[in-house]
Amino acid sequence: MWTFVSPRLIVYGDDALTFLEGEKASRVLIVADESILKLGFVDMVKNSLRAEKIEVFSEVEPEPSIDTALKCAKLARELQPQLIVAVGGGSVMDVAKAARILMELDIDPIAITPFTDLFELGYTKKAKLIAIPTTSGTGADVTWTSVLTDKVEHRKLTPANKEVVPDVTILDYRLVATMPKKLIAGSGLDALTHAVEGILSLWRNEFSDALCEKAVEIILNNLEKSYMGDAEARAKMHIAATMAGLGFGNSQVGLAHSLGHTFGAIFKVHHGVSVGIFLPYVMQFYLKSDARERMDSLARKLGLESAEMLIDRIFDLMRRVELPTRLSELISREDFEKNLESLVMNTLNDSSLGMSPRIPDYDQTRMIYEYAFEGKRIDF
Amino acid sequence: MAVVFPSTDWLNELRRRVNSDELYKKVAANWEGDYLCIVEIDQEALRDFQNPKILGGLISMLAAIPKDRRESFRGTATEKFIKMLGLELDQDLDPSKLNLEEMAKKVAQIKLEDIKGAATYIWMDFWHGEMRHSEPVTPQDVKNPRFILSGPYSAFKEIVLGKVDPTTQIMRGKLKLKGDLGYMMRNTATVNRFSQLMASVPIEKS
């Protein structure tokens, strides 16, 4: 038995926020961050709501910590909202998704696992959760995981449960119209990584394949255009990111995310960049596994001859949107070597690793990092 | 050499592999915790146990439990299954001295509904990179295991044959996991390496 998890509703368009006008909740908690507040998106949300009491939690930091999720849950416990609206990027949505559960359950967030029966622990789903992404990459608006950082151990943890998924996602193109170029590139690469890893995951299925394959096609055709300012391409990227989220959320990601989670947590690198930079190297590593056939098949569907050409196409796209293609563009050799042991061990302990079609051992993980640092083609 | 599952030979080989694996020692250096695996007899088990060698493996598990502790099975579906094989809980159960061919024929007559709930219990205890214990037990022997993994024989068999990993079996609803799940999620390298080692034990096919 398998299940396909998704929000009840996906609302999209350049006026999608008007959907909020129909919400009946009298107490609402808006989760955002300071930059979203400054951009006026929180006010746009507030203006669409008819609630008597609206509180805003805007303390979400990039790569949010477990403590931030607990802090947000504390505010939610006091307010007892019937509706939580997460407006922002992946960090904001991850905090809101965890806080909705933690406002009812006094548990360690990492105890929210796919195998946990939250209702048995007393969860009653008091609040509805609406996600409004303001970047086009994370897919966090439709996934049932929440990525939080353990600041003590410097590693990403992923509370995950089918109850984590938002009830509604709103894709309003206006919110991504002014996205900075750097963010367009980084979040777009994140979406591409989700879509490709979703296709290669051991848990892939017909539903996830359909969504991820279409997402790869849209992203390869539109990311550069969106980066150059094409509004139509920007809207397509917004749809593709959620499409990839629906896909990989139901098949899971793999090694690129294990490497990226670890690298991002230690060196404070944007999530999209840190997972995306590993994508082509991981695909090279997968060439010597059963996944090769699927990569060849994906390449052919995209009009490319082979998996190698698809990998080259991804490297080329990264350069075109001015993203780094090797770790040495982001960190020094000294910092890299100082942290290499932690990088390897935390990667091996990352929960995404288990669904990879080829799982590296300790030495191979070390070599993947070294090759990605130098920008060398992986041939082992 | 290939072994049958379940059997004490399988448990011993698994323990040997875990305790001689350098990578396991490294990734599980901080792991503290035990599993109680409850392998429930299902239709596939009843088919496999018609093979005298595999049935002998199952009986070796029961034989490894001292007679006085086997009393815990008294009145359970497990006892009923044992009786249907023509055995008693308090008898000597050395598989090499039993007529496994005849007993395997009796398995063919057993209906699953008559022994519903019959199971074999395996306790595996890990401590800082070492598998300290791996032994067949009764339901009363292990009071508070950190994890309980339960489900039908066919689901466990797929894991030991390396066809699928435990996480996938749990996600598919084929196995149930209870316990300190947060701890497990923080130590996926340990869980993954152990799963790989479990799948590496050569299994004699039915």
Side-chain angles (χ1 to χ4, degrees):
Chain A
M1 180 183 77
W2 285 100
T3 51
F4 184 86
V5 183
S6 67
R8 187 173 58 81
L9 211 59
I10 296 175
V11 187
Y12 60 98
D14 54 14
D15 58 350
L17 271 186
T18 55
F19 173 84
L20 290 173
E21 291 170 10
E23 285 301 316
K24 308 268 190 305
S26 58
R27 292 184 308 280
V28 177
L29 174 64
I30 298 176
V31 182
D33 61 30
E34 285 302 320
S35 62
I36 295 296
L37 210 56
K38 281 182 197 148
L39 285 165
F41 295 163
V42 171
D43 286 336
M44 284 171 77
V45 169
K46 273 184 175 174
N47 293 339
S48 302
L49 291 165
R50 294 170 184 176
E52 287 164 18
K53 190 169 186 184
I54 300 176
E55 291 215 13
V56 178
F57 180 84
S58 61
E59 296 171 40
V60 180
E61 75 278 32
E63 317 300 325
S65 67
I66 290 171
D67 288 344
T68 303
L70 291 171
K71 205 169 171 185
C72 183
K74 185 171 177 285
L75 178 61
R77 211 169 290 146
E78 287 160 9
L79 178 66
Q80 289 294 311
Q82 294 114 335
L83 173 64
I84 298 174
V85 180
V87 53
S91 301
V92 165
M93 290 184 281
D94 284 341
V95 167
K97 284 154 80 176
R100 170 164 68 155
I101 290 166
L102 297 170
M103 73 179 255
E104 291 191 50
L105 299 179
D106 188 15
I107 55 173
D108 182 348
I110 194 65
I112 302 169
T113 76
F115 323 124
T116 312
D117 186 337
L118 296 173
F119 294 103
E120 208 171 68
L121 297 177
Y123 182 60
T124 59
K125 201 173 182 177
K126 283 180 184 170
K128 179 177 176 178
L129 176 60
I130 295 181
I132 307 175
T134 58
T135 60
S136 307
T138 70
D141 51 319
V142 290
T143 59
W144 47 285
T145 55
S146 163
V147 183
L148 301 173
T149 300
D150 182 331
K151 300 280 185 194
V152 180
E153 293 184 23
H154 298 289
R155 55 185 283 207
K156 296 279 178 75
L157 298 170
T158 50
N161 189 283
K162 291 179 175 63
E163 295 308 317
V164 171
V165 72
D167 300 291
V168 178
T169 180
I170 298 178
L171 308 176
D172 191 314
Y173 309 149
R174 290 173 296 175
L175 303 188
V176 290
T178 56
M179 211 181 357
K181 282 186 91 170
K182 210 172 163 182
L183 201 52
I184 293 168
S187 57
L189 186 62
D190 190 18
L192 180 63
T193 309
H194 291 153
V196 173
E197 291 218 285
I199 293 167
L200 303 177
S201 163
L202 293 182
W203 289 358
R204 73 193 176 279
N205 53 76
E206 283 74 9
F207 296 105
S208 62
D209 278 353
L211 290 156
C212 289
E213 284 174 14
K214 186 66 184 173
V216 172
E217 181 193 319
I218 296 174
I219 295 163
L220 289 181
N221 290 333
N222 289 280
L223 177 55
E224 190 184 353
K225 288 182 199 163
S226 171
Y227 184 74
M228 300 308 288
D230 181 327
E232 195 182 330
R234 187 81 48 85
K236 283 185 178 172
M237 281 300 299
H238 209 37
I239 297 280
T242 293
M243 199 177 268
L246 280 169
F248 91 85
N250 285 284
S251 65
Q252 302 309 304
V253 284
L255 178 56
H257 269 75
S258 298
L259 295 158
H261 281 158
T262 306
F263 185 76
I266 290 180
F267 294 108
K268 312 280 179 295
V269 175
H270 176 263
H271 172 78
V273 175
S274 53
V275 298
I277 199 168
F278 289 105
L279 176 64
Y281 297 100
V282 165
M283 291 172 77
Q284 287 171 345
F285 180 69
Y286 289 164
L287 285 172
K288 291 187 177 170
S289 75
D290 294 346
R292 165 155 207 137
E293 198 181 316
R294 290 194 296 286
M295 289 194 289
D296 280 336
S297 163
L298 175 64
R300 284 193 295 272
K301 282 176 186 162
L302 296 164
L304 301 166
E305 272 175 29
S306 64
E308 283 87 347
M309 284 185 73
L310 177 58
I311 294 166
D312 288 345
R313 173 83 175 84
I314 291 170
F315 268 130
D316 182 51
L317 178 64
M318 289 164 74
R319 289 185 196 101
R320 285 173 182 274
V321 295
E322 298 174 271
L323 286 172
T325 56
R326 56 178 190 270
L327 304 184
S328 57
E329 293 176 59
L330 295 166
I331 55 167
S332 68
R333 164 61 76 180
E334 189 188 354
D335 283 344
F336 175 67
E337 284 180 357
K338 202 165 67 187
N339 288 283
L340 188 53
E341 181 65 15
S342 299
L343 286 169
V344 174
M345 290 308 291
N346 289 354
T347 298
L348 292 171
N349 265 315
D350 187 86
S351 55
S352 301
L353 193 63
M355 276 62 79
S356 308
R358 186 183 175 199
I359 298 178
D361 61 21
Y362 177 88
D363 292 333
Q364 288 169 329
T365 307
R366 208 180 163 92
M367 282 168 73
I368 291 171
Y369 272 114
E370 282 169 352
Y371 277 52
F373 183 84
E374 298 285 356
K376 277 167 65 180
R377 190 174 66 81
I378 288 181
D379 53 4
F380 53 88
Chain B
M1 193 184 77
V3 294
V4 296
F5 171 81
S7 66
T8 48
D9 286 345
W10 175 77
L11 272 175
N12 293 338
E13 179 60 17
L14 176 60
R15 190 172 172 193
R16 189 190 69 73
R17 284 178 187 239
V18 171
N19 289 343
S20 58
D21 187 71
E22 287 308 314
L23 180 56
Y24 183 79
K25 273 191 184 65
K26 200 176 186 88
V27 297
N30 297 316
W31 177 276
E32 298 175 354
D34 58 336
Y35 292 83
L36 177 64
C37 297
I38 306 174
V39 184
E40 298 157 1
I41 294 177
D42 61 2
Q43 205 61 57
E44 187 161 344
L46 287 181
R47 267 197 305 275
D48 284 358
F49 295 159
Q50 291 175 45
N51 176 331
K53 201 157 187 189
I54 298 177
L55 182 63
L58 177 74
I59 292 170
S60 75
M61 301 281 284
L62 192 61
I65 303 171
K67 283 181 195 172
D68 58 326
R69 278 169 42 202
R70 281 185 225 152
E71 287 302 311
S72 301
F73 286 120
R74 193 70 71 189
T76 68
T78 303
E79 187 199 14
K80 196 172 177 188
F81 176 64
I82 291 164
K83 277 180 176 290
M84 289 172 107
L85 295 176
L87 300 171
E88 292 294 336
L89 283 174
D90 54 0
Q91 79 173 78
D92 288 327
L93 289 171
D94 181 352
S96 65
K97 293 178 183 160
L98 296 171
N99 187 342
L100 294 172
E101 296 282 344
E102 281 305 310
M103 287 166 58
K105 284 178 192 160
K106 287 180 183 165
V107 175
Q109 309 305 317
I110 297 174
K111 289 190 172 68
L112 185 59
E113 56 264 34
D114 293 334
I115 56 152
K116 202 161 176 58
T120 184
Y121 297 75
I122 303 169
W123 180 51
M124 295 188 273
D125 178 28
F126 302 87
W127 192 262
H128 294 267
E130 186 198 0
M131 191 178 197
R132 294 193 299 191
H133 301 98
S134 59
E135 57 194 77
V137 291
T138 74
Q140 272 69 47
D141 289 340
V142 185
K143 293 298 176 203
N144 290 303
R146 195 157 194 175
F147 304 101
I148 299 176
L149 189 62
S150 62
Y153 164 85
S154 52
F156 279 99
K157 185 180 155 186
E158 282 188 305
I159 294 172
V160 301
L161 289 176
K163 288 183 177 171
V164 66
D165 65 281
T167 310
T168 303
Q169 291 297 62
I170 296 163
M171 286 301 294
R172 291 162 77 190
K174 296 209 168 190
L175 292 179
K176 285 191 172 55
L177 177 69
K178 282 190 174 174
D180 188 349
L181 303 177
Y183 184 76
M184 187 170 274
M185 296 307 278
R186 284 177 189 271
N187 290 281
T188 48
T190 303
V191 177
N192 287 340
R193 186 59 189 159
F194 175 63
S195 301
Q196 288 167 356
L197 290 167
M198 187 153 53
S200 76
V201 177
I203 300 294
E204 197 163 309
K205 302 287 183 337
S206 49

